[in-house]
Amino acid sequence: MSLYSERPSIALLPSGFADLLPGEAEAEARGIATVMETFSRYGYERVRPPLVEFEASLLSGSGSSLATQTFRLMDPETHRMMAIRPDMTTQIARIASVRLKDVARPLRLSYSGSCIVVGNQGREADRQISQAGIELIGPDSAQADAEVVALGAKALAALNIAGVSFDLSMPGMVLELVEQSIDPEHKDALLHALDRKDVSAVGELGGSIADILKAMLGATGPAEQALDKLANLEFSGSVLAHFERLRASVKAIRESAPQLHLTIDPVDFRGWQYHTGLCVTIFSTHSREELGRGGRYLAWDEPACGLTLRPQALLRAAPKGSVKLRCYVPAKLDDQQLSTLHDEGFATVSALDGAADPMVEAQRLRCTHIWKDGAISAL
Amino acid sequence: MSLYSERPSIALLPSGFADLLPGEAEAEARGIATVMETFSRYGYERVRPPLVEFEASLLSGSGSSLATQTFRLMDPETHRMMAIRPDMTTQIARIASVRLKDVARPLRLSYSGSCIVVGNQGREADRQISQAGIELIGPDSAQADAEVVALGAKALAALNIAGVSFDLSMPGMVLELVEQSIDPEHKDALLHALDRKDVSAVGELGGSIADILKAMLGATGPAEQALDKLANLEFSGSVLAHFERLRASVKAIRESAPQLHLTIDPVDFRGWQYHTGLCVTIFSTHSREELGRGGRYLAWDEPACGLTLRPQALLRAAPKGSVKLRCYVPAKLDDQQLSTLHDEGFATVSALDGAADPMVEAQRLRCTHIWKDGAISAL
């Protein structure tokens, strides 16, 4: 009888939590290392906040939007409530504002780590989420927006991920347009219609801005086409300012990343609770899975633009990497020879049972090669 | 007024939890990568269990000894109790016994990750603990013991950590000797005296084994000397078997690692709740800080020998690694040129504010070099 059937409750993991097995775990670690190395090359310095903080700290500012997704723990030391991070952005903002407040801006930080979310009952989504991201803190400019987006694209390229779309939005445009022109009692219904992309409901509920909103809905698509369509609309005031900034950011992104698949959805505002400017969602065009997201926000009082990649999704989108070839070696092989094999990329699997037939053992232990008579040979 | 003084409660972390800042976080990540690469080279395949499991699973078997050090969470999905791992060994044993039960033995696994412990009130110890370790599952032999110990030494060498002592013990020797010869009502007092290394109390409480126990206390020291002293004592039965195995394991370790600083404490038994054979604690001889520990135990029903290193302690013991040199570059430097700088080991810090004086900006942003007139120059 297998151990599994004897101990079903012990073998079971809570939904949303998973083991990564050999191969998977190695691929995740290598993927995160590749992304973090790309960030490091562009001057983003790594910080590592703890998994647990006081609730008051972790859920302050932009973190408050994640309050219902956060597990709490009581600190037996202080009897204050602590929380397990559901996201790392708030932590990076805290580090920038407190620990690194005297470091010159622009401050470029990178991070990677695991987060835990409460999850939504009945949904089979991950509850432990790996993140690897960057924050560019200080400047508020199109060029800063573009640096973050383009560096995200470089990280994906380093993983050889093809078929990627960067979907831009500027939630302030549509939100401020509605705010300025629509009575408070009709606002929610209109926003709901916009979110559903329900053109006829937008026409009915849009009042004096119905036409402009319908035109914005129709502008969704490839970035340059969308900008051309939006340029014909009569924006004014802060809405116009948002549009001009969107155009400037796209122009700056194009300078670094002329080939990037870039789209604009000018009425996308949902899911961007604390963002103040350009927002971006990165999708795999094959699976429509979200690979990462980010945007402009305030890190405490400072302008910031960040991007968080999801290594688990990246690995599903990336081509399979090679694993180490495994070479079966005698127990007493000297260190010099082992080092040579390691430098050639082999993992060495040492004989432990001197009596067993090396060829049989090598195959049983999933080796691809064997060290025999002073030389390596393929199995 | 600084942000810190405005928001003292938000800036504060619970004791035992810390931010790693630029430099520190990079060093930790690089240290873990070095250790894991060493494990990988010797055929140890990486697995990655989740941070959270059901309590019943995480605290089963050898995990039960950590029950009081474990934070619990209620799973809103199933209303069952989950726990945040205080250690990864139980998880690796579960993966080996369930997920990898059909994979041929010896099974060599490696892992790295963070653990959270409740901590001891009033003590300023870490409550988030990084671990990086190996498990060799299947064989129960001196050679397997030695492979694990020697690979630990290789990982420390890869980090250039000097001044390391591997302190061996065989808790079964003293525990079974006491079990066989001492009345149950006097056992605890004697074990307490042995733990304190109180020779006169051991003499008083040791009854018929007082002399042998005192001789064991006196044998503590460099491994070969200790073995010679112990060889003169009249062990029998299972105690003798433990001694013979200790001797065989030391001999096998010496074959792989002739220069290793190896000591034996034959009366050390405390802190090895679930171990069944050889135990090892790795110390820095400079700081006496514990760098790692491990030993032989049962992974569910299977013989296993494991070793867990503590990357935070390793980094305190390791020489400081070099950080990337930072080169300030104009905003429009082309990708080809950036790649060349990256391949030479530079992090590039891109100009964002076109109007600023590049030399001033480069210094302000902690750059060591600047790209100017088509060439790199040191600042």
Side-chain angles (χ1 to χ4, degrees), chain A residues 144-159:
Chain A
D145 296 342
E147 177 172 308
V148 168
V149 171
L151 185 50
K154 288 189 178 85
L156 299 184
L159 292 172

Side-chain angles (χ1 to χ4, degrees), chain B residues 71-117:
Chain B
F71 278 110
R72 273 78 162 182
L73 303 167
M74 197 185 71
D75 180 11
E77 183 95 5
T78 58
H79 294 189
R80 289 177 59 189
M81 288 311 287
M82 308 191 295
I84 309 177
R85 64 178 176 216
D87 183 81
M88 295 176 75
T89 307
T90 318
Q91 298 189 299
I92 309 305
R94 176 184 56 71
I95 289 175
S97 305
V98 179
R99 307 291 307 274
L100 304 177
K101 69 179 156 47
D102 296 328
V103 175
R105 269 50 174 168
L107 180 62
R108 292 170 167 97
L109 299 177
S110 66
Y111 59 91
S112 77
S114 295
C115 302
I116 306 278
V117 295

Side-chain angles (χ1 to χ4, degrees), chain A residues 19-20 37 41-42 45 48 51 94 105 108 128 143 324 342 348 350 352 364 366, chain B residues 19-20 37 41-42 45 48 51 75 94 105 108 128 143 324 342 348 350 352 364 366:
Chain A
D19 295 318
L20 296 188
E37 170 63 14
R41 287 176 167 220
Y42 285 87
E45 296 177 285
R48 201 228 57 183
L51 282 164
R94 177 185 56 72
R105 268 52 174 167
R108 293 171 166 96
Q128 174 170 337
Q143 208 186 337
K324 276 194 169 144
H342 295 153
T348 54
S350 192
L352 281 176
R364 205 176 63 79
R366 297 169 290 119
Chain B
D19 294 319
L20 296 189
E37 170 62 15
R41 286 175 169 223
Y42 285 87
E45 296 177 287
R48 201 228 59 182
L51 282 164
D75 180 11
R94 176 184 56 71
R105 269 50 174 168
R108 292 170 167 97
Q128 174 171 337
Q143 207 186 336
K324 277 197 167 137
H342 294 154
T348 54
S350 192
L352 281 176
R364 205 175 64 79
R366 298 169 289 119

Side-chain angles (χ1 to χ4, degrees), chain B residues 7 134 148 215 245 252-253:
Chain B
R7 308 185 193 180
I134 48 174
V148 169
R245 173 63 172 270
I253 294 168

Side-chain angles (χ1 to χ4, degrees), chain B residues 255-266:
Chain B
E255 283 172 13
S256 312
Q259 302 303 323
L260 201 61
H261 189 278
L262 214 54
T263 71
I264 291 174
D265 180 347

